[in-house]
Amino acid sequence: MKYILGILLSILIIYLLLLLLLRDGQSNLSFETSELNNIPLKVPSGFLWGSATSAYQAEGNCFNSNWFLFESEKDENGKPRIKDGQKAGIAADHWNRYKEDIQLMKSLGLNAYRFSIEWSKLEPEEGKFDEAVLDHYEKVIDELRENKIEPMITLHHFTNPIWFEKQGAFTKDNSPKIFARYVAKVFKRLGKKVNYWITINEPTVYAFNGYFFGEFPPAEKNMDKAALVFRNILIAHSEAYLAIKQINLNAKVGIATAIYAFDPNSWWNIADVIGAYYANRNMNEVVLDYITNGRFDFYFPTISKLEYQSDVINSFDFVGVNYYTRFVIRFNPFNDKSYQEVKNTFAEYVTDMSWEIYPEGLYKALKLVSTFTNKPIFITENGIADDGDTKRPSFIKNHLLVMNKAIADGMNVNGYFYWTLMDNFEWAQGFSKRFGLYKVDFNTQERTLREGSKVYPEMIKKFSLF
Ligand code: BGC
């Protein structure tokens, strides 16, 4: 009897130790609103207050992009790839309306704008660059500068030129070099006028939505391939970093990485805790580990594994954090995927994307980055799809209060970019999801400031009082 008790006790102790080990750094956070309200609002000097867009989503007429073809495709059930069969078309016509849009930023008191260059417009055929496209982006930059708005350029925001996609895009080992050639071309022309460069937007979302979840082109569902693409696009990041630094060592180069909060459904169920641990490890930490240590260490037990060591370490001057939501992970042996996401079903806590509203997760995201580096962090995306415009004010306010706490606790946050300036093409969701500070009537392209967005300039003013 004693013997059995001893064994049971040892098992319990090992279980608890394992739990503690895996839970380390994953602690569940909650802040009292009163606690957040009591911290004086203070940001470092030169703080960037911005909004963000991406070329394909906002500009319009991206005929040479892989997404343009994808929009006309159907899935295996004959359903269009994009909700309701929509197509980006002229999107928010930002290509032609950029001057008006810059005035919209200015009227909110913003001093920064993150936007992307559409690679497929600049290099519509392999190796043939269209200088007129660079002329356009140069005009945008000049207009921003005239209005005292700091440009931040993203070089890859999900889309590829068709020729590159047809070659296999980032599944191919030569893809990082091809990407770096395009980056050098852009930087040689625009480098003198732009301080902040983002190589890749959300490597995990690009790789997993395209090659595992099948939501983005090429709509594959293969975890090993997703891991390979994930690795190659990170190599493309470091190649682009080197290409820029070879031209100008002083350029500030970073990456924008999606960071999600992952929590287990039950903190006492080791299977849930393990699920959340690996989700956090693979979806959040791998990118940070790669840019700091050059180490790519991707591992989902029994599913997929890929390791790689780059000679390029510290391939960044700042980290861009895109934060939207938290995922709660539950182990379910009866489900064929064994792990599933638990949805928070209370409507008031979710956005139109069905994403949980969880501002505390932003703290966790910033903290995670801070365990890897002290270099500057920019919140390069944070926003809400909220057509009813009832949740936007508290969403913005609470995320900014949480950011303020992170700064007060010593985290090196230097900017915040709301996603997005105006409604635009929300990828597989088409135009149905409305993230914009400005509402867009897509029949007339008229922009109207949403009531719920007004809290953003109000908060900026409050931060500026100190
Ligand atoms: C992307 C944006 C997208 C936003 C909302 C981010 O993953 O960078 O392009 O519109 O999330 O889904």
Side-chain angles (χ1 to χ4, degrees):
M1 186 62 184
K2 251 192 190 165
Y3 181 68
I4 294 177
L5 269 179
I7 293 183
L8 285 178
L9 201 66
S10 316
I11 293 177
L12 186 69
I13 291 173
I14 293 172
Y15 185 86
L16 289 175
L17 282 175
L18 253 176
L19 262 185
L20 276 179
L21 194 79
L22 291 170
R23 282 173 59 159
D24 184 37
Q26 292 191 58
S27 60
N28 208 351
L29 283 171
S30 66
F31 299 125
E32 294 294 328
T33 319
S34 57
E35 178 195 344
L36 292 176
N37 279 327
N38 287 338
I39 307 171
L41 299 178
K42 194 169 186 312
V43 288
S45 68
F47 195 85
L48 299 184
W49 291 107
S51 65
T53 62
S54 88
Y56 196 88
Q57 295 178 270
E59 276 178 2
N61 294 332
C62 301
F63 306 124
N64 292 309
S65 163
N66 61 334
W67 269 84
F68 178 73
L69 295 186
F70 190 64
E71 287 170 359
S72 301
E73 281 180 18
K74 299 221 159 51
D75 68 12
E76 49 286 356
N77 304 317
K79 278 178 60 191
R81 294 283 185 202
I82 313 296
K83 193 166 188 274
D84 302 328
Q86 288 179 332
K87 295 189 168 43
I90 64 163
D93 197 25
H94 185 53
W95 182 271
N96 296 311
R97 293 170 195 260
Y98 70 91
K99 286 192 179 164
E100 176 193 335
D101 291 339
I102 289 171
Q103 291 313 310
L104 300 182
M105 300 170 205
K106 203 176 166 189
S107 67
L108 295 180
L110 304 183
N111 64 3
Y113 177 46
R114 175 182 172 225
F115 63 102
S116 75
I117 303 262
E118 181 59 29
W119 181 9
S120 70
K121 280 185 176 162
L122 176 58
E123 194 179 357
E125 280 177 60
E126 179 162 15
K128 289 197 180 141
F129 293 93
D130 184 348
E131 294 292 331
V133 169
L134 287 176
D135 292 344
H136 169 83
Y137 288 117
E138 192 168 5
K139 281 191 209 137
V140 175
I141 294 161
D142 290 343
E143 185 75 16
L144 286 166
R145 289 249 172 259
E146 264 171 42
N147 286 282
K148 305 215 170 8
I149 296 178
E150 184 75 35
M152 180 181 271
I153 288 189
T154 311
L155 291 153
H156 187 273
H157 197 123
F158 295 162
T159 58
N160 296 324
I162 291 173
W163 59 264
F164 180 73
E165 187 79 0
K166 288 204 166 138
Q167 285 176 12
F170 290 100
T171 62
K172 294 288 184 255
D173 287 349
N174 65 348
S175 54
K177 290 269 179 250
I178 296 175
F179 177 67
R181 177 184 61 188
Y182 143 76
V183 169
K185 180 81 191 170
V186 177
F187 190 80
K188 273 185 196 141
R189 175 72 183 275
L190 306 176
K192 286 201 181 70
K193 295 188 170 182
V194 177
N195 296 322
Y196 296 99
W197 294 85
I198 290 177
T199 53
I200 307 285
N201 180 66
E202 301 186 346
T204 51
V205 175
Y206 173 83
F208 291 94
N209 276 5
Y211 294 85
F212 181 63
F213 295 115
E215 260 204 36
F216 284 11
E220 293 196 30
K221 294 186 176 167
N222 176 333
M223 180 67 103
D224 289 335
K225 224 175 190 182
L228 178 72
V229 167
F230 185 17
R231 183 200 71 179
N232 286 347
I233 204 161
L234 285 176
I235 299 176
H237 155 77
S238 36
E239 290 289 329
Y241 173 85
L242 292 179
I244 293 179
K245 292 287 170 166
Q246 264 161 22
I247 305 170
N248 180 359
L249 261 183
N250 296 324
K252 294 185 175 67
V253 186
I255 193 165
T257 187
I259 301 201
Y260 302 97
F262 289 104
D263 280 334
N265 184 49
S266 156
W267 286 98
W268 294 105
N269 182 338
I270 198 152
D272 292 358
V273 174
I274 288 175
Y277 170 84
Y278 279 106
N280 179 54
R281 166 80 209 138
N282 291 308
M283 296 297 124
N284 292 335
E285 293 186 356
V286 169
V287 172
L288 300 169
D289 201 7
Y290 181 82
I291 60 171
T292 47
N293 306 312
R295 191 170 64 149
F296 180 85
D297 181 7
F298 179 82
Y299 178 47
F300 269 123
T302 73
I303 305 174
S304 188
K305 182 174 172 65
L306 186 65
E307 284 177 41
Y308 171 79
Q309 179 63 49
S310 165
D311 328 320
V312 194
I313 58 165
N314 263 317
S315 58
F316 66 107
D317 302 299
F318 64 88
V319 181
V321 170
N322 294 358
Y323 174 76
Y324 286 93
T325 190
R326 145 169 95 165
F327 294 109
V328 175
I329 311 286
R330 179 172 158 232
F331 179 67
N332 178 357
F334 305 109
N335 177 293
D336 58 350
K337 290 198 186 94
S338 59
Y339 278 98
Q340 58 182 201
E341 188 200 328
V342 179
K343 287 260 180 231
N344 195 334
T345 48
F346 298 106
E348 70 258 43
Y349 298 131
V350 295
T351 73
D352 292 352
M353 297 289 277
S354 303
W355 292 344
E356 183 192 3
I357 299 175
Y358 185 62
E360 290 92 332
L362 176 60
Y363 189 90
K364 211 168 159 176
L366 298 171
K367 181 106 191 170
L368 179 69
V369 177
S370 308
T371 60
F372 280 84
T373 181
N374 295 323
K375 291 184 186 179
I377 302 172
F378 294 95
I379 298 167
T380 36
E381 282 182 37
N382 174 241
I384 178 169
D386 179 25
D387 198 17
D389 199 32
T390 52
K391 301 170 189 170
R392 190 169 277 102
S394 61
F395 182 97
I396 296 178
K397 184 168 178 223
N398 291 337
H399 282 82
L400 290 178
L401 289 180
V402 168
M403 175 188 85
N404 185 51
K405 174 170 169 58
I407 294 173
D409 290 351
M411 295 178 219
N412 192 7
V413 183
N414 288 270
Y416 174 94
F417 293 75
Y418 179 85
W419 182 271
T420 178
L421 179 67
M422 70 305 217
D423 294 337
N424 53 45
F425 182 75
E426 177 51 36
W427 307 114
Q429 302 296 323
F431 292 100
S432 64
K433 300 290 179 273
R434 305 302 190 106
F435 282 84
L437 289 171
Y438 288 88
K439 182 187 172 115
V440 176
D441 175 339
F442 288 102
N443 293 318
T444 60
Q445 289 293 342
E446 193 192 344
R447 279 93 158 122
T448 317
L449 183 63
R450 289 199 159 89
E451 262 319 294
S453 306
K454 293 185 177 162
V455 71
Y456 187 32
E458 280 162 21
M459 286 294 283
I460 298 177
K461 277 201 194 113
K462 286 188 188 158
F463 272 97
S464 316
L465 292 178
F466 292 91

